[in-house]
Structure formats: structure tokens, C-alpha cells
Amino acid sequence: MGERLTPREILDKLVGFPTVSRDSNLPLIEWVDDYLTSHGIEAHRHYDETNEKAALFAHVGPLEEGGVVLSGHTDVVPVDGQPWGTDPFSVVEKDGKLFGRGTCDMKGFDALAIWALVEGHYSDLKRPLQLALSYDEEIGCLGAPPMIRAMQPIVPKASAVIVGEPSMMQAVTGHKGGFGYHLHVQGFEVHSSILHTGVNAILYGAKIIEWVNEMNAANMAAEPGEIAAMFDPPFTTLHVGTIKGGTAHNITAKDCWFGVDFRVVPGDDVEDWRKRFLAKVAEVEALMQAVVPETKIALEERFQLPGLVPEENGEAESIVRRLTGDNASHVVSYGTEGGQFQEGGYSAVICGPGDIAQAHQPNEYLTVAQFEAGQGFMARLLDLLQG
């Protein structure tokens, strides 16, 4: 039997792996696999197409359906250019805070979930407990869907999923869905004095960006529906975060690159928004090709994420409310794999330690008090599963 580590010892191990989304997460997955195996828990991996990243899932308790999944992601955002006061890949405790990349988002929860799984293995569980750790959440929740599909034939299907994104241990029952595209506007270079004979990729790209502004203004002015009114802001938002292109001020830009992201409130039709966006792109491309036929706009879909829809009498919500005593209504505008689990036939809720405002920040931290509250939550969950 292996050594039973404390949640803090597990957190120290996890943060020590620099699992930035652009890099492999395999060293962390291998450590978790080895740790669970040392306790007689069989872990299963599902690799991405590069074999450089993997999801991991495991099951303890009776081999039957109806268990509870603790779901977290293993990747973190970069620290490049951020003014950290400590080593971001080492947990430093100071003033009641645990500093380190991912302590809040969301290796704090991952550590607690791993601890709970091992403790559950040594308990007399009447209902199963499962662990699910995904990759590439930070770049569009790309790793969760193949993991969810891989779980189905290997472990008994659970009925409730607790996604441990930072929620201050409150029950979050809804979040926006979304999708995003990379655009490459490919124009035609001429001297700017005869710009009417060329196609300025930046100026034509700006027509799409102005459409983004118009849609945001219209959405903001519209009366929100009942579900949308729960969110802040209470409408679907469109966003352009970066743009680059052009070679010189006296040459019409041959290329322009930017992205458009959508965060869609439950109740709005994601596919309708996609059709409207693609129609606008086609309209602008036609204007370009009327000047120079070989110009075009190339699209690459970056991510697609379903929203988490509040459930009526949802099992996952009921469990979290029972364990936390939180009876208030909470929804968030960020996305998680909760909606993906919900699409897979699970009841899902978000509940994890920490404040989302700390996510992705320099000197990211999780308070000790929140980490301890998370451990208390896990202990009560184990008691519930033994009842």
C-alpha cells in the first residue's frame, strides 16, 4: 500500500508540473496514475491524437451505475510576461494564501478530488465515486468530450458530476456556451495611392469586427429572457481579442488575422449565431472577390462549447446544496466541461474552492480557508456515499 498523501501534499505535487496547455501533461498524468495504482486503484488514460496529452479517469466503490464524478482539468494558462513574486510552479504559503499557477484554477480541486478518491477506496462506499481529469480545457474544453466518450464502456456510468471550477464552494447551476473562430483575411497588395484596385485585408476584416460591435449593441439593448436574465451580462457576447496584419502604411494589407469568440446565453440558439456569423463572413468575402477574385477569408474553428443549462430538480445540484447548505442561485459567464457532461447524459453542477477572479492572474492564489472548505466538502461527500 502506498503512502496516503494529504490534500496539500498532493497539491504541491500537481502544481510542480508546468502543464501549460501548449505543452504535454503526461508527467502529471503519470504521477497521478502511479499514485492511484500504489493504492490498488486502476486508472485509465485516454490520449489525444498526438499522444502528448492524456485524460485520466478512475472508479472506486461498487461496480454499478449511479455514482458521482469529480471532474477537473490538468492544464493551466501560461505565466509568460506576468510579474510573479514567487516561483509559479511551486506552492508558496503566505498570509493565508497558497500561491502558484493553478492553485485556484484548478489544481486545488484536483488535489482534493484525488485525495477523496483514495479515501473513498478505503471506505465502505455504498455508491461509487469517480475521478475525471481532462486536458486542454483552457483552450476550449477540447479534452473533455473524448474523455467522456472513453469513460462510457470502461467504468459504470455515474449519474451526477461535480465540476470543480472555482466557485467559492457555491452551487453554480448554469453557464454560457460558446464557440470561436480564427479568421485569415487574404487580400491583394497594391500601393495605397491606388487602393481601389487592391483589397485591404485589414479594412475588410474591420467590416466583420464592426458587425461584432453592432451585434453586441443590439444584444445589450434587447430585453433578456428568463434564463438570460440570470447572467452578468444577461446577453450573448461577441469578442475580438487580438488582431495583426499588414506590412507598411503605404501598402494595402495583404493579410489580416484575428479571432471572433461567442459566449452564448442558454436559451439563445448557438447554431443560429454560427449561421449569422458565417453569413457575414461570406458577405464580406463576396465584396472582396468583386474587386480581386482570388482573395478570400479562411476560417478555422477554435472551439465549441455547450452551455450548462439549469436543471429542474437536478441530482448534482441537490447533492452540492445538501453538502454546502447553499440554497442561492448562481450562474457564471465562463465555460466549463459541465455542459459537455450534461450533453453526455449526466446531471452536472459546478462547485469548487477559490475565486474565479484569481484565475489566470499573476500571483494566482487559493486561500487556505477555501482549500480547507473544499476538504470538508469532500469529507461530507464521502459520508454521503457511505450512507
Side-chain angles (χ1 to χ4, degrees):
M1 183 179 73
E3 179 185 4
R4 287 162 73 170
L5 300 179
T6 66
R8 173 59 195 279
E9 288 170 333
I10 298 172
L11 178 62
D12 288 350
K13 288 285 188 181
L14 299 183
V15 172
F17 295 105
T19 51
V20 176
S21 302
R22 64 182 175 228
D23 301 321
S24 174
N25 73 335
L26 291 185
L28 181 150
I29 292 296
E30 289 166 358
W31 181 85
V32 175
D33 196 339
D34 289 345
Y35 179 63
L36 296 181
T37 299
S38 75
H39 290 284
I41 301 171
E42 183 181 11
H44 308 271
R45 303 187 201 183
H46 182 77
Y47 290 86
D48 74 347
E49 62 277 4
T50 70
N51 288 321
E52 290 297 319
K53 298 177 182 180
L56 178 145
F57 53 93
H59 174 109
V60 298
L63 283 172
E64 60 187 42
E65 296 186 348
V68 175
V69 180
L70 300 174
S71 174
H73 62 81
T74 59
D75 58 319
V76 297
V77 298
V79 298
D80 307 17
Q82 292 187 333
W84 280 77
T86 62
D87 177 0
F89 297 111
S90 179
V91 180
V92 176
E93 183 173 348
K94 182 180 178 182
D95 299 328
K97 301 172 182 176
L98 302 170
F99 292 90
R101 173 56 86 221
T103 52
C104 178
D105 183 22
M106 58 181 299
K107 291 180 177 179
F109 177 85
D110 292 346
L112 293 167
I114 294 167
W115 174 81
L117 193 78
V118 172
E119 294 301 306
H121 177 62
Y122 292 108
S123 303
D124 183 23
L125 297 183
K126 302 297 189 297
R127 184 177 177 184
L129 181 66
Q130 295 178 354
L131 172 72
L133 300 176
S134 65
Y135 58 86
D136 283 354
E137 189 275 348
E138 296 292 3
I139 54 176
C141 290
L142 303 182
M147 176 187 70
I148 295 167
R149 291 192 294 270
M151 292 170 67
Q152 308 301 312
I154 297 176
V155 296
K157 186 170 182 178
S159 56
V161 178
I162 301 171
V163 179
E165 290 284 354
S167 72
M168 297 297 288
M169 298 308 301
Q170 295 176 328
V172 172
T173 59
H175 67 63
K176 294 183 179 182
F179 61 95
Y181 280 89
H182 282 306
L183 290 85
H184 178 192
V185 183
Q186 301 173 36
F188 186 80
E189 287 181 316
V190 297
H191 193 278
S192 60
S193 64
I194 52 170
L195 60 81
H196 64 291
T197 66
V199 173
N200 188 317
I202 292 176
L203 293 182
Y204 278 91
K207 294 179 183 293
I208 298 172
I209 295 173
E210 180 53 28
W211 177 81
V212 167
N213 284 325
E214 292 170 357
M215 293 301 101
N216 280 331
N219 292 348
M220 189 179 301
E223 185 72 24
E226 182 179 352
I227 295 178
M230 300 168 64
F231 288 83
D232 182 20
F235 51 85
T236 293
T237 58
L238 290 68
H239 182 248
V240 176
T242 62
I243 184 170
K244 64 177 181 178
T247 54
H249 287 293
N250 61 350
I251 302 174
T252 58
K254 182 178 184 297
D255 297 287
C256 179
W257 296 268
F258 60 96
V260 179
D261 291 351
F262 293 72
R263 294 186 182 271
V264 183
V265 292
D268 273 13
D269 187 334
V270 171
E271 288 309 310
D272 178 62
W273 274 110
R274 188 191 311 278
K275 290 176 182 177
R276 293 164 70 181
F277 168 68
L278 295 178
K280 184 63 184 182
V281 171
E283 174 190 319
V284 173
E285 184 178 63
L287 293 174
M288 295 166 55
Q289 292 175 347
V291 181
V292 179
E294 61 265 33
T295 58
K296 64 179 181 178
I297 302 176
L299 291 171
E300 177 188 355
E301 187 168 19
R302 292 174 41 243
F303 71 93
Q304 178 177 307
L305 183 65
L308 177 65
V309 181
E311 303 168 3
E312 185 174 351
N313 301 317
E315 181 184 355
E317 175 186 352
S318 176
I319 290 172
V320 168
R321 293 198 187 284
R322 179 174 176 179
L323 298 178
T324 63
D326 175 27
N327 291 313
S329 296
H330 308 283
V331 296
V332 294
S333 291
Y334 60 79
T336 77
E337 64 266 34
Q340 294 167 328
F341 272 104
Q342 198 175 60
E343 278 197 336
Y346 298 81
S347 173
V349 69
I350 301 166
C351 183
D355 186 343
I356 192 63
Q358 280 302 311
H360 306 179
Q361 297 299 305
N363 299 314
E364 175 184 349
Y365 68 81
L366 173 66
T367 67
V368 172
Q370 276 288 295
F371 194 48
E372 291 175 346
Q375 184 174 359
F377 174 91
M378 293 298 180
R380 293 189 295 276
L381 175 61
L382 291 173
D383 288 342
L384 179 66
L385 297 179
Q386 293 177 74

